[in-house]
Amino acid sequence: MLLHIVARGRIGRGSEAELVERYLKRIAWPTKVTELPDAGGKEPAPAERGVTILLDETGETLSSVELARKLERWRDDGVREARFLIGAADGFDDTARGSADLLLSFGRATWPHLLARAMLAEQLFRATSILANHPYHREG
């Protein structure tokens, strides 16, 4: 299953970009990052069998193990793409929220988009590591 991050805003070549790349390279599953301008731009066409996850402050706060189990279930159900959307500064509207398969939150704090992208990459690495019984994740 492809783990696809679609993010508003350009990350450039700074330390945040290096951190995102470092985690994505460690993931054994296929990954992809698509950057869109803060406004406008066309989202890539969704996969035929895909799920959409919006990073949103109103979303569920999942543990790393809970996120891993969701990815596992989607993968085992034949989902071909898990698309994680990071919105622009104003986030997502109610229509986008309503059409998502999951609203995911990294807590009640507001995070800069570049850090949110790095946090997502790390959590995807952690979740796939959990599913592979890799010792990276330590519970408790």
Side-chain angles (χ1 to χ4, degrees):
M1 179 172 73
L2 173 67
L3 303 175
H4 187 178
I5 299 172
V6 179
R8 293 279 174 189
R10 306 272 183 221
I11 199 168
R13 294 181 183 249
S15 56
E16 297 92 349
E18 291 173 12
L19 188 58
V20 169
E21 188 62 27
R22 183 180 315 153
Y23 283 116
L24 292 180
K25 281 183 179 179
R26 293 178 181 174
I27 298 173
W29 299 18
T31 63
K32 180 178 180 180
V33 175
T34 301
E35 291 184 330
L36 299 172
D38 287 332
K42 186 175 179 178
E43 254 183 58
E48 190 172 309
R49 289 197 44 134
V51 292
T52 301
I53 303 97
L54 267 59
L55 270 66
D56 189 88
E57 62 188 7
T58 67
E60 292 181 57
T61 304
L62 301 177
S63 72
S64 298
V65 171
E66 290 170 326
L67 178 59
R69 296 298 165 230
K70 282 199 179 285
L71 292 176
E72 179 180 49
R73 188 182 73 239
W74 290 329
R75 180 199 63 195
D76 293 350
D77 287 346
V79 170
R80 299 186 51 83
E81 177 188 62
R83 180 175 289 199
F84 294 84
L85 292 137
I86 300 174
D90 292 329
F92 297 100
D93 61 23
D94 290 337
T95 303
R97 286 185 185 107
S99 65
D101 297 289
L102 173 67
L103 299 179
L104 178 63
S105 173
F106 287 143
R108 295 178 48 136
T110 301
W111 296 100
H113 284 72
L114 300 179
L115 285 181
R117 198 182 307 190
M119 291 165 59
L120 175 59
E122 191 280 337
Q123 283 299 295
L124 293 174
F125 171 64
R126 184 176 297 272
T128 56
S129 295
I130 289 168
L131 296 177
N133 294 313
H134 186 280
Y136 176 75
H137 177 73
R138 293 181 181 93
E139 191 69 30

